[in-house]
Amino acid sequence: MEFLWEGNVRKANPYTPGEQPNGQGVIKLNTNENPYPPPELVAEVLMDYNRDSARLYPDTNSTALTEALAKRYGVDASQIFIGVGSDDVISMLFMTFFNSSKPVLFPDITYSFYEVWADIYKVPFKTLPLDENFRMNPADYKIENGGIIFPNPNAPTGVYEPLELVEEIAAANPGAVVIVDEAYVDFGGVSCLPLIEKYDNLIIVQTFSKSRSMAGMRIGFAVGNKRLIKFLNDVKFSVNSYTMNHISQLCGAASVKCDVYFKNTLEKIINTRENTKRRLAELGFSFPDSKANFIFARHDVKNAGEIFNALKARKIYVRHWNKPRISDYLRITIGTDGEMDTLIEALKGIINHEQNF
Ligand code: PMP
């Protein structure tokens, strides 16, 4: 039944996040979280937090966090925008820069939230097919458009494109803003951050949710030239001034200072990923080479949906999309070595069971 006022409702087709199951014995390899905790300094900030500080509104500019990031990445504080996770940052970017009747461009297989934002902000979009190896063709991005966004490495494929591709797309589109979503870049890609000096239309987005083990703190940021960041802040301050809470600001700033811990954690995850690639290949899986903290794998024989359900029955959660071109694949987040051992043993059981029939 429809109510009379429904004609005026902004109807949305929302993004579906991965499940957050809880309970004992769950192995969660479905949302690309980091299996290791944030550094000790973050624990100290939480322990020392004075509850009286909670009375006050947080700093609207997240100054401590912005300055820590500016120092870490060698840019001016005026070139950084902070948001509540990179989802918030990208949502603000869509609202600010994708404001034309020409289509926003992104790959056909990519982060499914892009389409959701395009819909909610009522901007047209056009998806450009990746090739059979899930690679982008930069020539596709030389058509009329109202902006461009893509992740590098891409999600859910894990495929990393070289900086030359980013540069070719940015150079070919001086009249549109090009957003590179670098949520997974720390796991083996090279950030295109230095290119923001050369291309005034280029903006990069990163997150604390993956490489910095802080998905629950909701911290994301964009880096670009001062003018882009000013427009972005003008929109943000027209929607909600107090987005980032006080504790996340403090914990985020602490995390950025712990570079040795950060690099060690990344090294562990990369090693586990490379081991997991070998073991999955031995079991008959194939996958595009991943430079992210997940592997996008299909099995030669066994159906992905069945593997997904059989893993879930064993309390191992991975991600599966029943969508064209990718329904044969599972996206498996890299956990600890122990978690990956359990996954591989479970997969052996599931696959051998099938082959006995
Ligand atoms: N971009 C990509 C490509 C992602 O996979 C994710 C994680 N779902 C995000 C952005 C958003 O992450 P967060 O909001 O936690 O920073």
Side-chain angles (χ1 to χ4, degrees):
M1 175 188 127
E2 274 204 8
F3 291 99
L4 288 177
W5 40 263
E6 285 193 29
N8 296 329
V9 170
R10 185 186 292 270
K11 305 234 171 56
N13 199 354
Y15 172 74
T16 317
E19 279 179 81
Q20 290 295 96
N22 39 38
Q24 293 245 310
V26 165
I27 297 187
K28 213 174 155 297
L29 307 174
N30 67 336
T31 50
N32 299 341
E33 288 146 329
N34 195 310
Y36 303 107
E40 187 61 33
L41 197 59
V42 170
E44 285 171 26
V45 169
L46 289 170
M47 234 106 78
D48 295 346
Y49 191 72
N50 179 349
R51 75 188 152 106
D52 196 47
S53 306
R55 287 188 308 106
L56 305 176
Y57 282 108
D59 172 5
T60 53
N61 294 313
S62 302
T63 309
L65 177 56
T66 306
E67 282 176 358
L69 284 169
K71 191 162 167 227
R72 169 70 171 72
Y73 292 103
V75 295
D76 193 79
S78 61
Q79 294 181 269
I80 294 184
F81 174 84
I82 305 280
V84 185
S86 53
D87 281 342
D88 177 45
V89 175
I90 301 167
S91 168
M92 285 290 137
L93 287 166
F94 263 77
M95 207 192 300
T96 311
F97 298 114
F98 295 169
N99 193 26
S100 127
S101 53
K102 295 177 198 158
V104 168
L105 309 179
F106 45 87
D108 64 337
I109 301 167
T110 195
Y111 187 32
S112 52
F113 222 142
Y114 299 158
E115 200 175 311
V116 175
W117 284 310
D119 275 343
I120 196 82
Y121 293 128
K122 301 190 193 309
V123 288
F125 67 91
K126 182 173 167 60
T127 58
L128 301 166
L130 296 176
D131 72 14
E132 67 284 2
N133 298 314
F134 297 137
R135 302 298 303 263
M136 289 168 70
N137 178 2
D140 293 347
Y141 293 79
K142 295 178 183 174
I143 56 175
E144 253 211 321
N145 67 78
I148 295 171
I149 183 164
F150 58 92
N152 198 25
N154 197 3
T157 63
V159 173
Y160 172 77
E161 295 290 357
L163 292 190
E164 292 75 42
L165 175 136
V166 177
E167 182 152 15
E168 190 177 337
I169 292 176
N173 291 281
V177 171
V178 176
I179 303 169
V180 183
D181 177 355
E182 294 190 333
Y184 301 101
V185 78
D186 294 326
F187 298 102
V190 179
S191 171
C192 67
L193 195 128
L195 293 179
I196 62 172
E197 295 304 324
K198 196 165 166 193
Y199 298 98
D200 58 30
N201 57 331
L202 183 65
I203 190 155
I204 67 150
V205 183
Q206 291 195 8
T207 175
F208 280 49
S209 299
K210 324 287 179 182
S211 54
R212 293 192 180 277
S213 311
M214 292 170 82
M217 288 277 160
R218 311 303 303 126
I219 306 171
F221 62 101
V223 193
N225 72 65
K226 231 166 112 169
R227 201 162 161 77
L228 286 169
I229 300 299
K230 186 210 169 290
F231 284 125
L232 194 51
N233 269 316
D234 286 348
V235 169
K236 175 224 151 146
F237 283 100
S238 306
V239 174
N240 180 0
S241 322
Y242 302 108
T243 48
M244 174 69 61
N245 73 73
H246 189 205
I247 296 181
S248 290
Q249 292 185 26
L250 297 176
C251 289
S255 144
V256 177
K257 290 173 190 143
C258 304
D259 228 26
V260 173
Y261 181 90
F262 174 64
K263 286 183 179 140
N264 286 341
T265 305
L266 289 175
E267 203 178 292
K268 278 197 280 188
I269 293 170
I270 291 168
N271 280 336
T272 308
R273 178 187 70 207
E274 296 309 307
N275 268 326
T276 307
K277 283 180 190 170
R278 274 192 293 278
R279 296 165 86 187
L280 286 175
E282 279 164 19
L283 288 179
F285 283 92
S286 49
F287 38 83
D289 192 34
S290 168
K291 289 268 188 262
N293 66 336
F294 54 82
I295 297 170
F296 197 50
R298 62 179 288 180
H299 193 258
D300 297 345
V301 183
K302 184 97 177 161
N303 174 281
E306 283 171 37
I307 302 177
F308 173 85
N309 287 326
L311 285 173
K312 194 166 166 178
R314 290 164 168 81
K315 293 196 193 171
I316 302 174
Y317 288 75
V318 297
R319 197 95 199 254
H320 175 241
W321 287 272
N322 236 329
K323 282 190 182 172
R325 295 191 74 191
I326 60 169
S327 57
D328 290 344
Y329 287 82
L330 296 171
R331 192 197 65 188
I332 305 167
T333 302
I334 304 303
T336 61
D337 283 331
E339 287 173 327
M340 300 326 270
D341 287 346
T342 309
L343 169 82
I344 296 291
E345 284 314 307
L347 286 174
K348 276 184 192 159
I350 293 163
I351 287 157
N352 291 336
H353 176 68
E354 170 73 8
Q355 282 166 354
N356 288 340
F357 281 98

